[in-house]
Amino acid sequence: MVYTTSDYFPFLARQFHRETEWNEYNAYSTFCRTSKVILDFTIPYGLSVSTGRSVGSNLSSQLVFSMVPSSASSIGYLAASRPLFAITPAPVGNSLRVKSTAVSATLADQTQSDILSNPRAGECDSKLARHQRIQDVLDSQSLLQNIRAGVWKCSWRPVSSGAQQQDYTGDYLAVAQLYPSLATITGSYLVRRSATAELAISGVSVAGSQQDLQLIVQHATNQRRWSSEATYGTNGHMLGLRGQYNFGEAETPEPQLGEDASGRLSMGGEVYFGAQEASGGMSVGARYRYDRPLLLELACVANPIMGHVSLAWTQQLRTHACAAARYDFNAFSLSSELAVGVEWQMDENSILKARWSDSQGLRCLVDTRLNNMVFSMGLDLGAGAGTGADAAAAPAGIKRFVRSFGLQFQWFL
């Protein structure tokens, strides 16, 4: 069963990758992430309350208390080799101030308009570093509304290259989460092996009469032109290889505001094999992305063994709105699915997501910020009745239309 999780730790993981100049979007595993964030978002499950707090500059804690279901409650800690964001309410208005050694005190005190008008503030060592520091401050000033915003709001940057690239060898991020009522521990460990290589180990351990330990080990390489991923999972002894190559010229590290730029074509693929069941598969994909002045992304992924083809389109309609559509087709079963969705940042404190598909119906999510709290409400409306015991016990009028409803409260201390 999938439970509602807090956004605090995933946000810190993204900040860790930004601090170490690791491009999360230059990988085949995130090939279609832009459209998936808009079309495949999850809604809160049941009722849950969570808090995220920075215990120290390199240590953060997270507590999730789930009232429905109660078994989803958890407590976790995150440790990193680099200081990450610590959040405190600002004394003026509803804005937030951020404590971070990654941003100089002078730059952190500047307003957004000051930063945009003076992008060279802070005397950074390189254009890419200066851009990242400016982006850090912009994100932190609007932290709680951007924490759930889609990746279309993030600039698609290649990893830096040249003599000024820093060496992040040995930088690490460790996360552990405990679910007491389930006697389960989940954890992950990321470590940079070089400026362009990263090792990730994640696992799940279940105690009790049926003890179980599952691990996934992945080694990733992230170059400006290409990337690769090698993954091994103990569950089914699954081995997978992924790769991606980028054509065309790389984007400039620091484009001027309003500057136009050409798009980039990327192609990739994966092969995987499970030794336990002696089965495997493969997929290939192509993607074209154009970032400025408004994002446009077209992606196609095909699995010839399964006969499955997926076509995805993502278009930024305006500064605070983005739409996506996806068509999935299977040549063997002749089944298909059409999904369309939109994400709209209504104001500085609210984000609305809506998604409809001809097989799963309508799904809506609203995120609202109040000072240092994020309130999320999700609703899943299906065209037909659900399945299982929940559907049988639900009233006829509800089980026909309402499949799921959830509330989530997140405090960032």
Side-chain angles (χ1 to χ4, degrees):
M1 182 176 293
V2 178
Y3 297 126
T4 301
T5 59
S6 172
D7 297 298
Y8 185 56
F9 280 178
F11 174 76
L12 293 181
R14 291 196 300 270
Q15 294 302 324
F16 173 78
H17 279 149
R18 173 176 291 169
E19 290 292 327
T20 57
E21 299 184 32
W22 182 268
N23 188 357
E24 293 183 342
Y25 312 110
N26 187 33
Y28 190 72
S29 58
T30 58
F31 205 69
C32 298
R33 177 186 285 186
T34 307
S35 59
K36 285 184 177 180
V37 168
I38 300 177
L39 299 175
D40 299 332
F41 61 88
T42 59
I43 64 174
Y45 184 84
L47 178 61
S48 64
V49 178
S50 67
T51 61
R53 176 171 182 169
S54 178
V55 180
S57 59
N58 299 72
L59 182 65
S60 301
S61 64
Q62 173 181 282
L63 174 64
V64 179
F65 177 68
S66 180
M67 304 175 188
V68 181
S70 59
S71 58
S73 300
S74 65
I75 183 173
Y77 283 90
L78 179 147
S81 59
R82 291 177 174 266
L84 301 176
F85 285 110
I87 310 167
T88 58
V92 180
N94 289 329
S95 61
L96 295 178
R97 302 245 350 234
V98 173
K99 301 175 181 178
S100 175
T101 59
V103 183
S104 65
T106 302
L107 185 59
D109 291 336
Q110 289 182 304
T111 62
Q112 177 173 339
S113 59
D114 293 333
I115 295 172
L116 295 180
S117 63
N118 184 21
R120 296 186 178 278
E123 300 181 356
C124 301
D125 297 334
S126 65
K127 290 183 177 181
L128 180 62
R130 180 166 59 253
H131 171 80
Q132 289 177 332
R133 291 171 186 263
I134 293 173
Q135 190 64 43
D136 284 344
V137 176
L138 298 182
D139 286 352
S140 63
Q141 288 182 347
S142 56
L143 177 63
L144 293 182
Q145 77 261 20
N146 283 335
I147 200 170
R148 291 290 293 269
V151 297
W152 58 272
K153 294 182 67 64
C154 302
S155 298
W156 187 58
R157 309 286 175 197
V159 294
S160 61
S161 60
Q164 295 189 5
Q165 181 174 358
Q166 299 184 38
D167 184 10
Y168 299 104
T169 303
D171 279 311
Y172 67 88
L173 177 75
V175 182
Q177 196 88 4
L178 170 65
Y179 296 84
S181 59
L182 299 178
T184 300
I185 296 178
T186 63
S188 60
Y189 178 73
L190 305 177
V191 60
R192 291 293 294 272
R193 301 187 64 253
S194 68
T196 59
E198 181 181 82
L199 178 66
I201 303 175
S202 59
V204 178
S205 177
V206 180
S209 57
Q210 298 181 349
Q211 296 184 3
D212 185 23
L213 175 61
Q214 299 179 9
L215 294 176
I216 297 178
V217 181
Q218 180 183 79
H219 184 273
T221 302
N222 201 321
Q223 300 279 358
R224 183 179 63 87
R225 284 286 187 183
W226 60 274
S227 66
S228 64
E229 300 166 277
T231 306
Y232 173 75
T234 59
N235 186 17
H237 301 287
M238 183 71 70
L239 177 65
L241 299 174
R242 300 188 185 102
Q244 175 180 314
Y245 187 83
N246 304 313
F247 297 88
E249 295 298 327
E251 296 183 65
T252 58
E254 188 187 40
Q256 299 296 323
L257 294 179
E259 178 186 0
D260 201 355
S262 59
R264 172 177 262 201
L265 174 66
S266 301
M267 300 188 69
E270 70 172 342
V271 293
Y272 53 90
F273 177 78
Q276 183 170 327
E277 298 183 0
S279 62
M282 64 171 295
S283 70
V284 293
R287 179 186 67 192
Y288 176 80
R289 176 158 177 154
Y290 187 89
D291 277 282
R292 295 181 298 275
L294 295 177
L295 177 143
L296 169 65
E297 181 178 288
L298 301 173
C300 176
V301 176
N303 188 325
I305 297 179
M306 303 297 295
H308 180 262
V309 178
S310 178
L311 302 173
W313 162 83
T314 307
Q315 174 69 62
Q316 187 175 354
L317 306 177
R318 54 182 61 186
T319 306
H320 301 294
C322 190
R326 184 179 61 216
Y327 180 73
D328 293 294
F329 177 76
N330 190 283
F332 297 153
S333 64
L334 300 181
S335 61
S336 64
E337 181 189 33
L338 174 64
V340 294
V342 63
E343 180 176 306
W344 177 31
Q345 186 171 333
M346 296 179 286
D347 52 40
E348 293 185 355
N349 301 313
S350 300
I351 295 176
L352 171 65
K353 291 185 179 183
R355 182 254 198 192
W356 175 87
S357 72
D358 54 5
S359 63
Q360 300 184 21
L362 179 66
R363 177 177 297 176
C364 301
L365 176 66
V366 177
D367 293 315
T368 301
R369 190 201 92 182
L370 179 61
N371 200 6
N372 63 334
M373 184 194 78
V374 172
F375 166 72
S376 303
M377 179 177 65
L379 181 64
D380 194 348
L381 303 176
T387 59
D390 294 339
I398 295 181
K399 74 179 183 180
R400 182 175 301 176
F401 298 106
V402 180
R403 293 196 299 184
S404 179
F405 176 77
L407 299 175
Q408 183 183 26
F409 299 87
Q410 299 185 74
W411 274 273
F412 301 89
L413 307 176

